[in-house]
Amino acid sequence: DVKVTQSSRYLVKRTGEKVFLECVQDMDHENMFWYRQDPGLGLRLIYFSYDVKMKEKGDIPEGYSVSREKKERFSLILESASTNQTSMYLCASSSYRALHFGNGTRLTVT
Amino acid sequence: GENVEQHPSTLSVQEGDSAVIKCTYSDSASNYFPWYKQELGKRPQLIIDIRSNVGEKKDQRIAVTLNKTAKHFSLHITETQPEDSAVYFCAASRGSGGGADGLTFGKGTHLIIQP
């Protein structure tokens, strides 16, 4: 069974802080993704990566960056957290069959 | 890029009745259309998908239909049960699975099964 692990379930940060959200998958998948989930807005793609050290912007990359130094790990970085980045963040990796999501990190920026 | 519209945003049905959720997409090159179910407090999980060379696919009580000409696809759940209560997301992609470019999701439908 595919396992996608996000390091934190809940996170509270202050405005202006640099925030790191970590994600690890154990299935040797090449493709990894970061989505943001907000009520009424669904799942929106922030960034994705199809190989180590490769990254591509999704639909809402502003205010975010990513890092993929190892195949199994994909990090989302908020350079200077703002209150409008309060959200649920979902990491995923993909097989041919499906996207496999982590449990999510609920980030609150105060 | 792709744009996926999903309706309704909330759907309440009596237990045992059928539920239908509809989605439209904009990119005629999209060829893969999955549906994900997200129970309260849990991660989204794939429940059924369809590719563009097929018009309909069924798996027990759930089915998906695709009309490529009209660029819309639908999820049908028959004989609804309490465990069907969840948020359902449709999605579209040019690839398959997650593909290399990810999936574009609709905004979700909150399905409520009334006892």
Side-chain angles (χ1 to χ4, degrees):
Chain A
D1 193 24
V2 177
K3 192 167 185 181
V4 180
T5 303
Q6 294 183 230
S7 56
S8 302
R9 194 68 195 265
Y10 299 95
L11 212 50
V12 180
K13 296 292 182 181
R14 293 190 180 276
T15 302
E17 276 193 81
K18 190 169 186 176
V19 182
F20 293 85
L21 302 183
E22 306 289 346
C23 175
V24 177
Q25 52 99 358
D26 66 354
M27 283 302 292
D28 203 35
H29 290 160
E30 293 181 349
N31 304 324
M32 296 188 74
F33 308 84
W34 276 104
Y35 283 89
R36 171 176 171 161
Q37 183 173 16
D38 299 286
L41 296 179
L43 298 156
R44 292 180 293 167
L45 182 62
I46 304 171
Y47 265 97
F48 62 98
S49 169
Y50 52 86
D51 202 352
V52 175
K53 295 193 185 294
M54 303 302 289
K55 59 184 179 182
E56 295 287 343
K57 293 180 180 179
D59 298 319
I60 51 164
E62 296 79 18
Y64 304 95
S65 62
V66 291
S67 173
R68 184 116 182 253
E69 295 296 320
K70 294 184 178 181
K71 191 174 185 179
E72 67 271 19
R73 186 179 297 271
F74 192 35
S75 302
L76 180 69
I77 304 158
L78 286 66
E79 296 291 341
S80 177
S82 64
T83 54
N84 62 13
Q85 293 178 309
T86 291
S87 186
M88 171 67 83
Y89 290 88
L90 289 165
C91 174
S93 69
S94 74
S95 63
Y96 176 79
R97 182 74 177 89
L99 273 183
H100 305 273
F101 287 94
N103 278 326
T105 296
R106 183 165 295 283
L107 173 67
T108 302
V109 182
T110 61
Chain B
E2 176 68 278
N3 182 48
V4 177
E5 299 284 342
Q6 182 172 350
H7 299 280
S9 57
T10 303
L11 178 61
S12 181
V13 301
Q14 290 293 126
E15 182 178 347
D17 288 350
S18 295
V20 180
I21 302 170
K22 298 182 179 182
C23 290
T24 61
Y25 62 98
S26 62
D27 185 354
S28 56
S30 288
N31 57 13
Y32 175 67
F33 308 93
W35 287 86
Y36 282 75
K37 175 184 180 182
Q38 186 176 30
E39 297 177 12
L40 188 63
K42 296 190 176 181
R43 69 188 80 187
Q45 292 196 302
L46 177 71
I47 56 170
I48 195 168
D49 56 12
I50 191 168
R51 288 173 170 76
S52 58
N53 57 346
V54 175
E56 183 174 358
K57 184 177 179 181
K58 192 172 182 180
D59 182 4
Q60 298 182 346
R61 294 187 299 107
I62 60 173
V64 57
T65 58
L66 171 65
N67 183 327
K68 281 218 76 176
T69 303
K71 289 192 278 189
H72 67 70
F73 56 112
S74 300
L75 178 71
H76 305 253
I77 306 174
T78 58
E79 300 173 12
T80 53
Q81 300 171 4
E83 55 263 37
D84 295 329
S85 292
V87 178
Y88 292 80
F89 293 97
C90 63
S93 169
R94 292 185 175 191
S96 59
D101 296 339
L103 296 169
T104 300
F105 286 88
K107 292 182 179 180
T109 295
H110 185 194
L111 176 62
I112 301 165
I113 307 302
Q114 302 280 4

